[in-house]
């Protein structure tokens, strides 16, 4: 009987190892895509002077947070307790900062479009204090009850119910708070634009209707952003709650979706927030400078991008000089 039990245990351990290797590969691959996307947005900000305005600064700080969140996620699989400590807390700090920066973008959009305020740049220092301070506070609080004496292949797996509760409180509570705030903010902006559209149609003001249609086009793009956080972290939230209720019992497909979608958050943010018309126009202008005229005439896409006047967030927010 003992050999049979030992054989079954060996098979179970082998399967668990294969599952972990698959999850590690998926998490690393997703984080690498996010690292590439967020690094591209950071590079655009540093290279193109015309993008260094208040609206895109918020996107830049979001991309920086995503970049380091992805980087420390890739640096998993620690071999000692100190490395595990540094990896886990660094990833936690920058991942929390990432979704907190989305709330500053939502706040800025709401204050500009709904409240018609032009003082958003004055909130720059407050935004930094709010994002970095909250991220640091949650990271320090999470250290209570953590056990790094026995590092494993995944640093963020902590021992004990206290550590799991603190992880939910310090990470998922701010996350879903950001989701709810962003959702409410974009709902308010959407309602304002709907009211403005009806008023413009009622008075047959064609010029005003044109402006509102441009704002509507912009909002249709930016209104998806609350869904980015939901899509990135819904499976992770379910997985953590399930693990809390059923410790020691893992569902492979749920963990697969968890690490895959969470790792892609930086890529989703870089596409949605960063690749707006201003960035595309800046890139096309630089490419246009080095292309021969004969090739430019055969590629009308560049001329369309140069003349594109799509009204996105950068035109809804008061930009700095």
């Amino acid at each position: 009987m003992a050999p049979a039990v030992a054989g079954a245990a060996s098979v179970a351990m082998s399967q668990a190892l294969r599952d972990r290797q698959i999850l590690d590969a998926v998490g690393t691959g997703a984080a690498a895509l996010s690292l590439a996307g967020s690094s591209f947005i950071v590079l655009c900000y540093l290279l193109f002077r015309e993008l260094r305005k208040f609206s895109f600064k918020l996107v830049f700080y979001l991309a920086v947070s995503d970049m380091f969140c992805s980087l420390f996620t890739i640096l998993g699989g620690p071999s000692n307790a100190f490395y595990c400590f540094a990896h886990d807390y660094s990833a936690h700090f920058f991942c929390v900062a990432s979704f907190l920066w989305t709330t500053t973008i939502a706040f800025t959009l709401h204050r500009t479009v709904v409240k018609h305020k032009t003082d958003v740049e004055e909130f720059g220092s407050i935004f930094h204090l709010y994002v970095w301070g909250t991220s640091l506070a949650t990271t320090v609080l999470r250290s209570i009850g953590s056990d790094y004496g026995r590092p494993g292949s995944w640093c963020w797996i902590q021992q004990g119910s206290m550590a799991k509760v603190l992880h939910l409180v310090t990470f998922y509570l701010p996350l879903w708070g950001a989701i709810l705030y962003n959702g409410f903010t974009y709902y308010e902006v959407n309602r304002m634009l709907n009211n403005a559209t009806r008023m413009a149609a009622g008075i047959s003001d064609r010029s005003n209707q044109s402006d509102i249609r441009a704002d509507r086009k912009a909002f249709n793009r930016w209104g998806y952003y609350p869904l980015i956080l939901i899509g990135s972290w819904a499976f992770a939230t379910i997985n953590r709650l399930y693990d809390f209720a059923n410790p020691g019992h893992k569902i492979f497909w749920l963990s697969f979706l968890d690490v895959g979608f969470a790792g892609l958050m930086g890529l989703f943010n870089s596409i949605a927030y960063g690749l707006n018309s201003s960035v595309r126009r800046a890139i096309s202008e630089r490419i246009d400078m080095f292309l021969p005229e004969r090739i430019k005439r055969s590629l009308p896409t560049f001329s369309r991008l140069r003349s594109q006047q799509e009204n996105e967030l950068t035109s809804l927010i008061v930009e700095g000089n």
Side-chain angles (χ1 to χ4, degrees), residues 173-193:
L173 185 61
L175 167 66
W176 284 95
I179 290 173
L180 292 175
Y181 175 77
N182 290 351
F184 171 77
T185 298
Y186 287 107
Y187 168 78
E188 289 285 297
V189 174
N190 182 57
R191 187 176 64 172
M192 188 281 298
L193 292 177

Side-chain angles (χ1 to χ4, degrees), residues 37-276:
S38 54
S39 298
F40 175 76
I41 299 304
V42 170
L43 186 62
C44 288
Y45 179 86
L46 297 177
L47 291 178
F48 305 144
R49 188 183 301 272
E50 62 268 30
L51 295 178
R52 300 174 193 175
K53 299 174 182 178
F54 181 76
S55 58
F56 203 77
K57 280 183 180 179
L58 301 180
V59 178
F60 167 74
Y61 292 123
L62 170 63
V64 168
S65 299
D66 283 330
M67 184 174 66
F68 283 105
C69 175
S70 301
L71 177 62
F72 284 108
T73 299
I74 293 173
L75 298 176
S79 58
N80 60 72
F82 174 78
Y83 189 90
C84 189
F85 177 92
H87 160 265
D88 185 23
Y89 289 169
S90 299
H92 181 275
F93 177 87
F94 286 107
C95 289
V96 171
S98 173
F99 54 75
L100 290 182
W101 277 116
T102 68
T103 64
T104 67
I105 296 175
F107 172 85
T108 304
L109 181 62
H110 182 271
R111 188 168 182 82
T112 305
V113 178
V114 177
K115 295 186 175 297
H116 305 290
K117 301 290 186 179
T118 59
D119 58 350
V120 287
E121 291 188 59
E122 298 177 6
F123 289 86
S125 299
I126 298 176
F127 287 164
H128 282 285
L129 180 62
Y130 154 67
V131 173
W132 305 124
T134 302
S135 300
L136 180 61
T138 59
T139 302
V140 172
L141 181 61
R142 187 184 176 188
S143 66
I144 303 175
S146 299
D147 181 8
Y148 288 97
R150 294 167 295 171
S153 58
W154 280 8
C155 282
W156 50 89
I157 296 179
Q158 301 176 356
Q159 303 295 325
S161 59
M162 180 62 177
K164 293 180 180 179
V165 169
L166 284 172
H167 185 41
L168 291 175
V169 171
T170 59
F171 189 87
Y172 289 94
L173 185 61
L175 167 66
W176 284 95
I179 290 173
L180 292 175
Y181 175 77
N182 290 351
F184 171 77
T185 298
Y186 287 107
Y187 168 78
E188 289 285 297
V189 174
N190 182 57
R191 187 176 64 172
M192 188 281 298
L193 292 177
N194 285 335
N195 292 337
T197 301
R198 287 193 295 267
M199 291 178 60
I203 62 177
S204 300
D205 187 344
R206 292 185 178 275
S207 61
N208 197 19
Q209 289 181 39
S210 177
D211 293 339
I212 294 173
R213 280 196 299 268
D215 288 348
R216 169 61 61 187
K217 186 177 181 180
F219 178 76
N220 285 341
R221 174 182 171 88
W222 291 81
Y224 289 111
Y225 299 152
L227 298 180
I228 293 177
L229 287 178
I230 296 175
S232 297
W233 293 103
F235 293 111
T237 303
I238 296 172
N239 199 21
R240 295 300 174 275
L241 293 175
Y242 180 83
D243 179 64
F244 183 78
N246 302 275
H249 184 266
K250 301 292 182 182
I251 301 178
F252 175 75
W253 66 264
L254 184 58
S255 297
F256 184 93
L257 295 174
D258 172 358
V259 299
F261 280 92
L264 290 173
M265 180 183 67
L267 179 64
F268 295 152
N269 283 337
S270 63
I271 293 174
Y273 287 89
L275 293 181
N276 55 50

Side-chain angles (χ1 to χ4, degrees), residues 296-314:
K296 285 189 289 187
R297 286 197 300 266
S298 64
L299 297 174
T301 301
F302 290 117
S303 61
R304 287 199 303 269
L305 286 173
R306 288 199 306 268
S307 60
Q308 185 180 22
Q309 297 298 323
E310 182 181 352
N311 187 6
E312 296 184 351
L313 181 69
T314 49

